[in-house]
Amino acid sequence: MPLPLPEGLVCGVDEAGRGPLAGPVVAAAVILDPARPIPGLNDSKKLSARRREALAVLIREQALAWAVAEASVEEIDRINILQASLLAMQRAVAALAVRPQLALIDGNRCPRLACPAEALVGGDGRSAPIAAASILAKTVRDELMLVMHARFPMYDFARHKGYPTAAHLAALREHGPCSEHRRSFAPVAQLSLWTPAER
């Protein structure tokens, strides 16, 4: 069954990258076009990488408006990951070419926005605009992690996307954190080593 599409200029907002130990947190905001429905929208975590990438292309082509923004590793360490996630969401909504009448936010917290906002727990599996935002945020962040992998191949970011897998933790112990690791996250904070490139 297709996810419901709300009436009016409603943007869905979601983020990707709260749990990883490295890289920015990325948020997206999407206003879908009722005249150009996109079949198959769903929570990005329930889609294959290939399906997410195909849907991301359609979202960019067919949505009334979309925007992606991020909060940096430095901002995450300074204001914490929750506040950084809300900041990225705020930036994404502000960057929309069309001003929404309402923002539907995945989760239980809303950023401060220029329009009314409602939090929707599990929204990426319940609302088409939020699902679209989750897909854009996830695909953009995954692309950023591939770029990061090219800079720091010793951590294998292309495989785990910065999440604290056993292999990632082992690489951290061996090489120490790089400039893209979140110093405020416990597994990184516990290490004092640095990569040779950063000494």
Side-chain angles (χ1 to χ4, degrees):
M1 176 183 293
L3 296 179
L5 178 61
E7 294 183 4
L9 293 176
V10 177
C11 74
V13 185
D14 200 4
E15 52 72 28
R18 282 184 63 167
L21 305 179
V25 61
V26 176
V30 179
I31 302 176
L32 293 173
D33 185 350
R36 305 182 75 189
I38 302 172
L41 292 176
N42 203 347
D43 175 357
S44 63
K45 296 182 292 295
K46 297 180 180 178
L47 302 170
S48 67
R50 179 176 294 182
R51 185 64 180 144
R52 281 196 301 267
E53 290 163 7
L55 285 168
V57 171
L58 291 177
I59 293 164
R60 288 184 171 93
E61 290 176 347
Q62 297 180 204
L64 285 175
W66 62 270
V68 177
E70 63 184 63
S72 68
V73 170
E74 292 77 16
E75 288 171 321
I76 292 168
D77 286 340
R78 188 172 71 249
I79 62 176
N80 78 44
I81 184 59
L82 171 60
Q83 295 305 317
S85 298
L86 295 173
L87 177 60
M89 291 179 176
Q90 189 179 58
R91 289 170 173 166
V93 174
L96 288 169
V98 176
R99 183 169 180 172
Q101 298 166 326
L102 173 69
L104 295 177
I105 315 295
D106 183 56
N108 59 6
R109 298 284 293 271
C110 291
R112 293 181 180 179
L113 301 174
C115 67
E118 294 178 8
L120 188 60
V121 175
D124 46 8
R126 299 168 57 190
S127 165
I130 297 178
S134 78
I135 290 166
L136 285 192
K138 172 66 174 168
T139 53
V140 167
R141 189 178 191 282
D142 283 355
E143 290 168 3
L144 291 174
M145 297 308 293
L146 293 178
V147 173
M148 199 179 301
H149 175 82
R151 290 176 58 204
F152 303 105
M154 70 283 285
Y155 302 104
D156 204 14
F157 288 131
R159 182 180 298 273
H160 54 66
K161 306 298 189 295
Y163 283 90
T165 64
H168 188 188
L169 294 174
L172 263 174
R173 287 191 293 270
E174 180 178 357
H175 302 288
C178 73
S179 60
E180 295 294 341
H181 279 102
R182 301 171 179 177
R183 298 295 194 280
S184 57
F185 279 43
V188 182
Q190 292 165 1
L191 298 169
S192 59
L193 296 175
W194 295 77
T195 58
E198 293 187 296
R199 287 179 177 168

